[in-house]
């Protein structure tokens, strides 16, 4: 199994460009099932989750079936189900797998599909134990008025895509407001759809009564705001001067506010920003929230910063209950992380970190471990890096370019 070997302590310097956004590309790719012909994608990131989505879409048949083994491997496979149901009147899919960051139910999708006229059947289990569902609409899907129980990013994307081919108008309330939803709606609108309100909590979709979209405008994948934020944190921890290019600052306002409070100075340049390690990092409390709040996907990297801050930082993870699972590993590295309950960790710093053998728990915490290893004394070995490759393109090569000592090995 491949692993990363990281020698800590190097001072980082130079420039790094932010790659294309996984979470913007995934729903746009899934939406290609709503097109008569194939839409064109520009700047798709070369990462594992995108390969899985392409494989999944290619495996779809005209009965709404997909390769269940591929689907169960990644959570975002659920994004293909709405388009399949909308187009073929039925879809079968396993309870999606993916990260181990919490329960990750799919009830907001199922409730939405049922209100539009779909009927869900549980039809056994895959070999790995995932429940397999099929959902079928006997008549054409009907536009509806639907309020999400919780703000869900992929839930909002999935129901928008389903409503697009339904009969009549759909009004969605309590929608998530993440930028990826705006990108998806803009892409679909550029190709003939009528979706209004994306980026607010109320979205109205005009149903096309089964009429597929014609591919006119391509989707150019925007920069990944989570990767950009993670590089900012890395720069604040380890850089003499790191220029981050291809960054959309507006999408990172909560992180900028937290870094400002931590005493990290970020300077605008023509193509991005420059960040450097401050003399002292202040402790900062953060609470993850739906956009435009502090992104849960930046919580683990920020916690590494908190280990180097003077004083106590309270990290409050409100979105997923399994996203503080790094506490034990960080403590083994020398950090002082006290878990108050499944949602809150108190980090006392600064503490030196020491290289250790680690297993990447999920995508975002995996890169946080790489950052911890880069500032630690000695060598770390990080396993289960498929989790990191799911979302970050050639991350080892790009980090080496700014002075990091990181190697990919077959262990
Ligand atoms: N939820 C439900 N029922 C549902 C769906 C969600 O209760 O049917 C709950 C979740 O348990 C969670 C909350 O709603 O407590 C919000 O989760 P959301 O549905 O928004 O998460 P998601 O759509 O599955 C996307 C990103 C995640 C990111 C979250 C939160 C994609 C492909 N994934 O997931 O990204 O953490 O939004 O911002 O867009 C990642 O990229 O590593 C990743 C995990």
């Amino acid at each position: 199994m491949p692993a990363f070997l990281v020698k800590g302590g190097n001072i980082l310097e130079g420039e790094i460009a932010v790659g294309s956004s996984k979470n913007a590309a995934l729903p746009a790719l899934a939406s290609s099932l709503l097109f008569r012909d194939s839409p064109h994608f520009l700047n798709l990131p070369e990462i594992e989750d995108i390969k899985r989505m392409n494989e999944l879409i290619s495996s779809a048949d005209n009965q709404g079936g997909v390769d269940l083994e591929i689907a169960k491997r990644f959570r975002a496979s659920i994004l293909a189900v709405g388009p399949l149901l909308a187009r073929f009147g039925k879809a079968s899919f396993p309870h999606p797998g993916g990260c181990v960051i919490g329960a990750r139910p799919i009830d907001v999708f199922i409730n939405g599909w049922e209100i539009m006229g779909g009927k869900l059947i549980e039809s056994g289990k895959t070999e790995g134990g995932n429940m397999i569902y099929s959902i079928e609409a006997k008549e054409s899907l009907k536009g509806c008025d639907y309020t999400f129980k919780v703000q869900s990013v992929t839930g909002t994307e999935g129901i928008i895509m389903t409503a697009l081919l339904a009969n009549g108008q759909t009004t969605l309330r309590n929608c998530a407001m993440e930028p990826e939803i705006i990108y998806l709606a803009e892409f679909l609108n550029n190709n003939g759809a009528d979706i209004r309100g994306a980026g607010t909590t109320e979205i109205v979709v005009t149903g096309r009564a089964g009429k597929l979209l014609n591919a006119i405008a391509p989707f150019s994948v925007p920069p990944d705001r989570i990767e950009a934020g993670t590089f900012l944190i890395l720069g604040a921890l380890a850089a003499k001067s790191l220029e981050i290019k291809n960054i959309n600052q507006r999408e990172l306002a909560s992180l900028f506010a937290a870094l400002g409070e931590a005493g990290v100075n970020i300077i605008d340049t023509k193509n991005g920003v420059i960040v450097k390690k401050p003399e002292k990092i202040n402790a900062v409390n953060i609470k993850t929230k739906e956009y435009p709040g502090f992104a849960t996907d930046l919580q683990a990297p920020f916690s590494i910063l908190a280990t180097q801050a003077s004083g106590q930082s309270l990290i409050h993870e409100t979105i997923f209950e399994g996203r503080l699972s790094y506490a034990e590993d960080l403590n083994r590295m020398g950090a002082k992380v006290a878990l108050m309950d499944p949602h809150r960790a108190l980090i006392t710093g600064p503490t030196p970190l020491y290289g250790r053998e680690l297993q990447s728990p999920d995508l975002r915490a995996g890169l946080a471990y790489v950052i911890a290893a880069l500032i630690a004394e000695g060598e770390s070995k990080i396993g289960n890096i498929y989790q990191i490759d799911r979302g970050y393109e050639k991350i080892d090569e790009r980090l080496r370019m700014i002075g990091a000592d990181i190697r990919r090995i077959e262990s």
Side-chain angles (χ1 to χ4, degrees):
M1 296 292 268
F4 285 144
L5 267 192
V6 181
K7 277 209 193 91
N10 284 10
I11 310 284
L12 307 184
E13 194 174 9
E15 51 181 65
I16 192 161
V18 177
S20 302
S21 165
K22 166 176 88 72
N23 290 348
L26 285 168
L29 278 176
S31 80
S32 49
L33 291 162
L34 300 169
F35 285 73
R36 179 168 295 119
D37 37 10
S38 301
H40 193 49
F41 295 95
L42 304 169
N43 318 319
L44 276 178
E46 283 183 33
I47 53 176
E48 293 300 326
D49 268 17
I50 295 296
K51 291 183 198 159
R52 296 297 86 75
M53 184 58 93
N54 275 324
E55 289 164 10
L56 187 76
I57 290 166
S58 318
S59 77
D61 59 35
N62 61 9
Q63 297 296 307
V66 287
D67 186 320
L68 299 177
E69 288 304 309
I70 298 169
K72 74 173 202 214
R73 282 187 77 182
F74 69 121
R75 162 90 191 175
S77 62
I78 192 78
L79 283 168
V81 179
L84 287 170
L85 175 66
R87 181 167 185 162
F88 302 114
K90 49 186 157 180
S92 43
F93 59 102
H95 195 98
C99 286
V100 287
I101 58 179
R104 309 200 76 181
I106 54 171
D107 51 339
V108 306
F109 294 83
I110 289 171
N111 294 345
W113 293 327
E114 289 191 328
I115 290 185
M116 279 190 247
K119 193 170 174 333
L120 185 84
I121 303 159
E122 287 183 359
S123 48
K125 291 197 169 173
T126 62
E127 271 178 29
N130 295 51
M131 179 62 76
I132 301 169
Y133 308 97
S134 57
I135 186 149
E136 194 166 339
K138 287 272 176 261
E139 291 165 20
S140 306
L141 293 175
K142 290 183 295 294
C144 66
D145 203 318
Y146 177 52
T147 302
F148 289 97
K149 180 189 80 176
V150 290
Q151 289 189 338
S152 164
V153 180
T154 51
T156 303
E157 293 161 349
I159 301 299
I160 288 175
M161 292 192 279
T162 318
L164 193 61
L165 297 188
N167 285 329
Q169 184 170 290
T170 295
T171 303
L172 303 174
R173 296 176 218 276
N174 197 27
C175 297
M177 298 191 286
E178 269 66 5
E180 292 75 22
I181 296 163
I182 305 179
Y183 293 124
L184 175 69
E186 278 175 356
F187 169 54
L188 296 173
N189 285 346
N190 288 341
N191 287 286
D194 182 1
I195 301 161
R196 292 177 207 186
T200 74
T201 56
E202 189 169 314
I203 297 179
V204 178
V205 183
T206 304
R208 296 167 58 85
K211 189 165 169 269
L212 297 174
L213 296 169
N214 288 318
I216 306 163
F219 183 67
S220 181
V221 186
D224 192 310
R225 63 190 168 97
I226 304 302
E227 184 175 291
T230 310
F231 289 163
L232 278 169
I233 292 167
L234 174 62
L237 279 166
K240 191 167 155 205
S241 167
L242 180 66
E243 181 167 21
I244 301 166
K245 295 183 159 174
N246 199 27
I247 177 173
N248 186 342
Q249 294 188 46
R250 245 185 328 154
E251 294 179 352
L252 286 161
S254 294
L255 177 67
F256 273 82
L259 288 174
E261 214 182 309
V264 180
N265 196 8
I266 301 167
I267 306 159
D268 284 338
T269 63
K270 203 164 126 249
N271 299 311
V273 296
I274 286 183
V275 59
K276 37 185 106 165
K277 180 179 171 184
E279 265 175 31
K280 175 177 174 248
I281 299 172
N282 308 318
V284 179
N285 299 335
I286 57 157
K287 185 173 179 180
T288 64
K289 285 274 288 160
E290 295 84 1
Y291 189 85
F294 193 99
T296 170
D297 288 345
L298 287 169
Q299 181 266 109
F302 197 86
S303 296
I304 310 298
L305 188 85
T307 68
Q308 303 309 302
S310 301
Q312 289 193 320
S313 303
L314 180 66
I315 309 294
H316 190 168
E317 169 58 58
T318 71
I319 309 286
F320 294 114
E321 64 280 8
R323 267 205 157 163
L324 299 172
S325 64
Y326 53 71
E328 205 178 304
D329 281 338
L330 288 190
N331 286 342
R332 275 201 300 122
M333 294 182 84
K336 279 195 193 146
V337 184
L339 266 189
M340 323 285 284
D341 59 52
H343 284 279
R344 289 178 310 149
L346 193 62
I347 302 185
T348 308
T351 50
L353 300 181
Y354 302 95
R356 294 282 181 267
E357 251 193 75
L358 304 157
Q359 292 294 323
S360 171
D362 66 75
L363 166 64
R364 307 302 178 186
L367 191 55
Y369 281 14
V370 170
I371 295 177
L374 286 171
I375 59 165
E377 202 178 303
E379 188 170 85
S380 298
K381 184 172 162 191
I382 302 171
N384 196 25
I385 60 172
Y386 175 82
Q387 283 299 332
I388 301 176
D389 291 332
R390 280 184 44 220
Y392 299 104
E393 184 173 331
K394 300 190 182 96
I395 192 68
D396 44 333
E397 290 175 27
R398 292 156 70 211
L399 292 176
R400 273 202 299 279
M401 302 284 284
I402 54 169
D405 190 338
I406 175 169
R407 275 189 303 134
R408 184 182 291 262
I409 53 157
E410 281 298 328
S411 71

